[in-house]
């Protein structure tokens, strides 16, 4: 059995290759484009950190992610590996956005997508479309700040906010929502007071908050506590992201005071992305029984260099505490590359350890199954 | 000549293999278990960072360290490599704790152990036992905070404390103690005032300190200054450790003000562990003539991934400024794995450089001897 | 065609080898020794971080950089690879400082050197000499703090300082100066107010500043803003350096407030060295359209380990945002090793990706040309 993700790598045991080929659970993802966004916007969506146009002097194709798109997605669209950006873009235009999605998404080999629906635009597909195109299924992750903003936009009174939020989270928990996600990283950073806010403080904060973007740390913290009380696994955006976050303030080590809250210790906490703080995140995953991590998003952006990142992610965190995600958003290239690069990087890293006899092939296969799907199944009761 | 630590690695020159096989000095270690602690406590002792029980949903065997135990210690106990945890535990139970220690400890190939005796329980062997089982010898490293606590527990008066501490350190220095260790990391962090405290300030701090756990920064700093004045090498716990430390406050870069104290510059300073701040520690080892580092503890916990860590430790620090340690405590597996994984990682990293011609085999062998024992001999006058 | 920098590495495609052999632009460098500084001072110049003599118990040759000198520079001086330090030093003495420079500098394969002339002593060659010995050309980078200090030493009045600085920068910009460099890292750190200072504040700061070393953050910031207004690319020393900087205060993430200044966004910003914060620097190079980075200086100091650093530098930063530099200063060994180790490291890293099919050989060659010279040509209008 041959697998594209093994192309050009040293041989690995069949047992490990088979485990790598099994369906994944992508525990943190967004929708893919359903409309033609144009080449400029496409290139911008290959740059995670900058909100600006790609500078005139360069193309974002000239990056690890851009090279990975040309190497791995081009053949899925019927082109030669390493097709030029112009060839790639021309072929993409021929197929149209849904044609591209239908060509790429199934190649991810993902059986289940946990979709953060808090960031949605009319350019992104719905969870239903994603499920349909992939042949897999989807579950929703509720974004806490979006939920709070929706309540405020609905005109919920400050005195009724806590009950209303609780009711929504209870509904979510009952209604099959897989978990909750906080983007505290983007709103206030992690160096805030994480003790459960008194409800009077929440009311005061609401009165000062207005109805726009929720940035008040008291309200952010309150949302996280309420989600934990509702029994939902808590996903936390950590590290790498759009530059409107201050990377210094989203170091996972700043989450210590949150993780020490007894209420938080009762639910799984999932640190997402974590780059370049993934070693510190691995430490937290060893230090706290309920803390998990992934290196999603960064895998895509590191492209050919992502095997090194995966090796570092495998340092300190117990294997039951690691998960797979793509954090893909927009180009369906990201949905498939996340999976392909993860499989390829794991093949490279674990293959090396198995060849040298450090790990058995059986253990390597088992760890792949844990990180690829098993841990997510346990955490999200998938 | 074949060595287990080379199993499955590319060939390395005999000269390098021979140097790697020579006895080590483990310059920072604790005792090993002498009693059967039970499987749950055993697994907990494979997790450095968490004080909690291992969660029900996992086994700590599913970690780099757990895999290394099964791979490398199982054969030393008469099992096949990669024996299952159940097989391993059963065999361990047959042998009993002392039988396990006697089977494992000699395989470390350690000629001298510098034992931190400040953390002792009735479950850990004495330095004498460790020496006897290993066929090597031991010397003591005095833990400064434990020494201070002992004085306070003895009811030493605040006005007499400084003299009493000095007398103890003078005795230690004369009596063959190899060095002093501070666990400021666990007590107050590194972002404290490091100028020598006035004795009046020490007296004031003592009057506020009580007789329990010594956490007052003035007293911690005072102990370090007194140890330096006594001419003792100063070991400093840095980075990775039990989660009751705040990892952000034990970044070695925070030690700048300590290292700039003229009194401290007169004795060797040994930064222990350092992960994930080992690159910053390497910088300090280049920047300050008396600063050294090891990546002990982390080597064990990174298991098959520890070669990458060793490569990073070999980046900036001069080779005369690096040492070997295991920081083993509890399971004798840690005493042997520290040594085995260090030898194996060095074989992998230096072997690659020698094969490519970047380093000569003779230089590689020489660096192994320096880091493995020679530098410690110089520093501790072993 | 064989190239010394490929010795002992796995084969790489001719196309990639050819690109690596092409002339480089070293966009950040200093002069080399023209006088015999003696062996002690030579060894000290192999240690970037410490201002102290090398300790008696060691030689700085026992470091990655020292090993690289013996491996790669010895043959250029007619010795065997890995010549001993004594052999190397004897041969160096025979040739004399200019003989050594003439033997080594051309081997760098550098067509253009951008020389920071702000740090000059009578032991270092002039840009003209460097150009002559290398067969290449040089352009000047003006060090902003040195320029300001020269104005103050000339007795420029506080009220006339701003105009005088502007005039000098305008002259520089017109007169072929390639760019401006700030060593804010050494003077005040990055955690300062980076908004353009009001001219009244500048006048106040000048009245408090005296005529010595410029450390006032207002004046440092003012210099950077004026250089940007003059349209000059801004080089920023980041990370690794002499220990009189506080490494914690030169984390590039602290530059966020500077990079968000609209005036700064209009010129290229070049983050120099960056180690051990190179991953964070790569993030900034993705996040800000005008931000670039190199890992100069660290490549030399990491020697055989520098391929790992280059792989990490190639993670997140777009390829149009990376440059080559040596930051060589003093021993001409550093001028040639910077180039040789960069070529060798790129051969190792890109060669691996090409062999595995992740990158095409053509792309690898193209990226080498971009980072080796093309990006600098664009930025500095070379």
């Amino acid at each position: 059995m041959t697998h594209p993700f093994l192309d050009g790598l040293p041989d690995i045991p069949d047992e490990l290759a088979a485990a790598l080929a099994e369906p994944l659970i992508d525990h943190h993802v967004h929708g893919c484009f359903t409309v033609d966004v144009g080449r400029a916007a496409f290139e911008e969506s290959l740059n995670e950190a900058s909100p600006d146009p790609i500078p005139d002097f360069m193309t974002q194709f000239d990056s690890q992610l851009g090279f990975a798109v040309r190497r791995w997605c081009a053949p899925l669209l019927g082109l030669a590996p390493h097709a030029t950006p112009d060839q790639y873009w021309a072929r993409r235009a021929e197929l149209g956005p849904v044609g591209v999605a239908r060509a790429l998404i199934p190649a991810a080999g993902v059986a289940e997508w946990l979709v953060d629906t808090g960031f949605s635009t009319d350019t992104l597909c719905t969870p239903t479309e994603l499920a349909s195109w992939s042949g897999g299924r989807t579950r929703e992750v509720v974004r806490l700040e979006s939920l709070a903003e929706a309540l405020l936009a609905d005109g919920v009174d400050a005195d009724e906010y806590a009950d209303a939020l609780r009711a929504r989270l209870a509904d979510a928990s009952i209604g099959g929502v897989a978990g909750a996600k906080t983007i505290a990283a983007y709103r206030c950073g992690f160096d805030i007071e994480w003790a459960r806010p008194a409800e009077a403080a929440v009311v005061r904060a609401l009165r000062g908050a207005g109805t726009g973007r929720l940035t008040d740390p008291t309200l952010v913290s309150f949302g996280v506590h309420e989600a934990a009380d509702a029994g939902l696994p808590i996903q936390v955006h950590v590290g790498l992201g759009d530059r409107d976050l201050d990377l210094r303030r989203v170091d996972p080590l700043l989450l210590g005071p949150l993780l020490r809250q007894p209420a938080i210790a009762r639910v799984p906490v999932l640190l997402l992305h974590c780059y370049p703080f993934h070693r510190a995140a691995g430490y937290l995953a060893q230090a706290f029984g309920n803390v998990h991590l992934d290196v999603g998003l960064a895998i895509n952006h590191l492209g050919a260099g992502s095997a090194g990142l995966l090796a570092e992610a495998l340092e300190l965190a117990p294997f039951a505490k690691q998960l797979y995600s793509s954090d893909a958003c927009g180009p369906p290239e990201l949905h498939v590359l996340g999976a392909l690069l993860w499989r390829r990087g794991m093949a490279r890293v674990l293959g090396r350890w198995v060849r040298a006899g450090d790990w058995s092939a059986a253990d390597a296969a088992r760890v792949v199954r844990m990180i690829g799907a098993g841990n997510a199944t346990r955490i999200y009761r998938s």
Side-chain angles (χ1 to χ4, degrees), chain A:
Chain A
M1 186 165 49
T2 61
H3 302 290
F5 61 81
L6 298 178
D7 278 0
L9 297 187
D11 282 343
I12 63 169
D14 288 345
E15 185 175 7
L16 174 55
L20 285 163
E22 290 177 14
L24 299 173
I25 296 177
D26 185 340
H27 88 113
H28 177 62
V29 70
H30 306 262
C32 71
F33 286 144
T34 52
V35 299
D36 183 355
V37 296
R39 179 160 170 181
F42 178 79
E43 291 205 25
E44 287 163 26
S45 67
L46 302 182
N47 179 321
E48 177 66 20
S50 172
D52 300 328
I54 304 298
D56 289 342
F57 59 76
M58 62 170 279
T59 161
Q60 189 65 25
F61 274 105
D62 281 345
S63 63
Q64 288 283 14
L65 176 52
F67 279 21
V69 166
R70 290 170 45 221
R71 167 62 184 92
W72 299 107
C73 299
L76 294 170
L77 303 188
L79 300 170
H82 312 298
T84 67
D86 286 351
Q87 289 167 339
Y88 190 81
W89 190 252
R91 178 67 181 141
R92 233 184 164 284
E94 281 172 23
L95 292 169
V98 173
V100 171
R102 287 179 173 280
L104 297 178
I105 296 287
V110 168
E112 180 164 348
W113 313 81
L114 304 191
V115 183
D116 170 8
T117 51
F119 177 79
S120 61
T121 71
D122 53 11
T123 64
L124 297 182
C125 75
T126 62
T128 307
E129 287 168 305
L130 190 60
S132 157
W133 295 336
S134 68
R137 61 195 191 111
T138 58
R139 290 174 70 200
E140 190 187 347
V141 172
V142 62
R143 189 185 286 205
L144 293 168
E145 291 77 13
S146 302
L147 179 55
E149 286 162 358
L151 288 174
L152 297 175
D154 287 351
V156 168
D157 190 79
D159 294 320
E160 294 162 358
Y161 175 83
D163 285 339
L165 183 66
R166 254 170 233 137
R168 291 283 184 100
L169 289 168
D171 286 352
S173 189
I174 295 162
V177 160
K181 177 187 174 189
T182 176
I183 55 165
Y186 282 106
R187 299 306 176 85
C188 51
F190 296 159
D191 49 344
I192 65 171
E193 172 58 57
W194 281 112
R196 172 178 261 289
E199 302 220 356
V202 172
V203 170
R204 273 196 308 277
L206 285 164
R207 288 190 173 132
T211 55
R213 207 160 161 267
L214 189 91
T215 59
D216 183 278
T218 300
L219 298 179
V220 168
S221 172
F222 183 68
V224 172
H225 277 275
E226 287 296 332
D229 287 356
L232 291 168
I234 310 287
Q235 298 182 341
V236 185
H237 177 110
V238 174
L240 177 62
D242 189 289
R243 78 170 194 230
D244 73 346
L245 57 71
D246 177 348
L247 204 54
R248 282 172 61 84
R249 297 184 61 197
V250 299
D251 178 340
L253 295 180
L254 290 167
L255 292 172
L258 173 66
L259 300 175
R260 289 173 203 276
Q261 300 292 321
I264 302 301
R266 286 193 286 269
V267 292
V269 171
L270 297 304
L271 308 179
L272 306 176
H273 325 317
C274 300
Y275 183 95
F277 307 115
H278 45 283
R279 281 173 154 164
Y283 170 80
L284 295 175
Q286 185 184 100
F288 293 89
N290 64 322
V291 172
H292 303 72
L293 83 155
D294 73 40
V295 285
L297 182 56
I299 295 175
N300 265 341
H301 282 275
L302 269 57
S306 58
L309 171 65
L310 284 166
E312 290 180 2
L314 289 164
E315 286 181 347
L316 214 56
F319 305 134
K321 306 299 228 35
Q322 303 190 39
L323 291 90
Y324 165 71
S325 85
S326 66
D327 194 26
C329 184
E333 282 84 351
L334 303 177
H335 298 72
V336 66
L337 279 175
L340 186 140
L341 292 169
W342 182 84
R343 288 184 169 108
R344 184 168 177 79
M346 292 293 275
R348 190 184 271 282
V349 173
L350 303 198
R352 189 170 64 224
W353 292 338
V354 171
R355 275 192 300 280
D358 292 282
W359 284 30
S360 73
D363 279 327
R366 195 165 56 83
V367 168
V368 163
R369 290 191 179 99
M370 291 169 75
I371 302 180
N375 296 334
T377 300
R378 182 191 80 233
I379 292 163
Y380 299 105
R381 304 187 185 113
S382 284

